[in-house]
Amino acid sequence: MSTPLDEVQEVLLAYYASKGRFPRPKDVTPKEVEDVKSVLSRAFTQMTAQHGNQRGNNGLRGTISTLDKDVDKYENEELLKLAREEIPLDELKAIAEALQESDQSLCYEDALAEALVKWFKPTYFKWIDPIPCSKCKGKTESKGMGQPTQDDLLGGAGRVELHRCTSCGHTVRFPRY
């Protein structure tokens, strides 16, 4: 009889094998194995509670399968191409090389990730606060959370913020993905 942790191991091994990313773990002690089992058990219990009922999955295997499909959308080549067109990669590579030269302990990939993070939040990312009214473009105030519609859920939004326009009273829904 398999346990939920056996299922986790089976699913994760199959996932890594299918992606060509099968890590070779170091030898671990029995205590480390028990610690990992404990952490995984708590994490998957929480994940099942958060995602299982919300997305209509049956059990742990369904939760992992759904989460794996969620990740796959970020590997869509068309979407990746569109995203890459927005990123000033040559500029970030130059910054990464300079970072790596100034800190020899930093590998190129980490330097590039650091350059990307430093570019993203102050330069690319834009806060929308307050959310403008979709009718009159006036300011809105948060009125709490609403239930996601079927379209919201199909699009991946697990929750929806509600904002009321201070000018015309219109309610604006803001799905969170």
Side-chain angles (χ1 to χ4, degrees):
M1 176 178 214
S2 71
T3 67
L5 288 174
D6 293 333
E7 282 189 38
V8 169
Q9 183 180 14
E10 179 184 328
V11 170
L12 290 176
L13 290 174
Y15 171 75
Y16 280 117
S18 74
K19 301 289 184 182
R21 295 181 285 192
F22 197 89
R24 295 282 303 160
K26 67 175 184 70
D27 289 335
V28 294
T29 67
K31 182 181 180 335
E32 288 174 321
V33 170
E34 289 308 312
D35 290 347
V36 168
K37 282 182 179 180
S38 175
V39 168
L40 284 175
S41 179
R42 285 192 310 269
F44 286 112
T45 298
Q46 183 179 8
M47 282 176 23
T48 301
Q50 289 176 347
H51 298 285
N53 295 335
Q54 173 186 348
R55 298 184 183 186
N57 294 325
N58 295 322
L60 183 59
R61 191 177 300 247
T63 298
I64 292 172
S65 177
T66 297
L67 293 172
D68 180 45
K69 287 180 182 139
D70 285 351
V71 171
D72 286 346
K73 68 184 170 190
Y74 299 106
E75 295 174 353
N76 177 310
E77 284 303 320
E78 290 178 36
L79 296 177
L80 287 170
K81 181 180 179 210
L82 290 171
R84 287 182 186 119
E85 289 172 2
E86 296 291 318
I87 300 170
L89 194 54
D90 291 337
E91 178 184 329
L92 295 177
K93 284 180 178 179
I95 293 169
E97 288 170 7
L99 282 170
Q100 191 180 21
E101 286 175 15
S102 67
D103 182 355
Q104 297 297 316
S105 68
L106 194 63
C107 72
Y108 178 74
E109 288 80 8
D110 288 347
L112 187 57
E114 187 174 327
L116 178 63
V117 168
K118 287 181 177 177
W119 164 79
F120 180 80
K121 191 167 182 182
T123 307
Y124 185 77
F125 184 81
K126 303 287 185 253
W127 286 102
I128 303 174
D129 191 27
I131 294 169
C133 176
S134 56
K135 276 192 169 181
C136 72
K137 305 298 181 217
K139 290 186 178 184
T140 62
E141 293 178 346
S142 175
K143 293 298 176 187
M145 302 301 287
Q147 290 295 330
T149 65
Q150 192 63 30
D151 284 343
D152 294 332
L153 292 170
L154 288 172
R159 59 189 205 271
V160 176
E161 294 177 7
L162 299 176
H163 298 263
R164 186 168 204 78
C165 180
T166 57
S167 299
C168 72
H170 177 68
T171 298
V172 179
R173 297 171 43 78
F174 191 79
R176 290 291 188 165
Y177 299 91

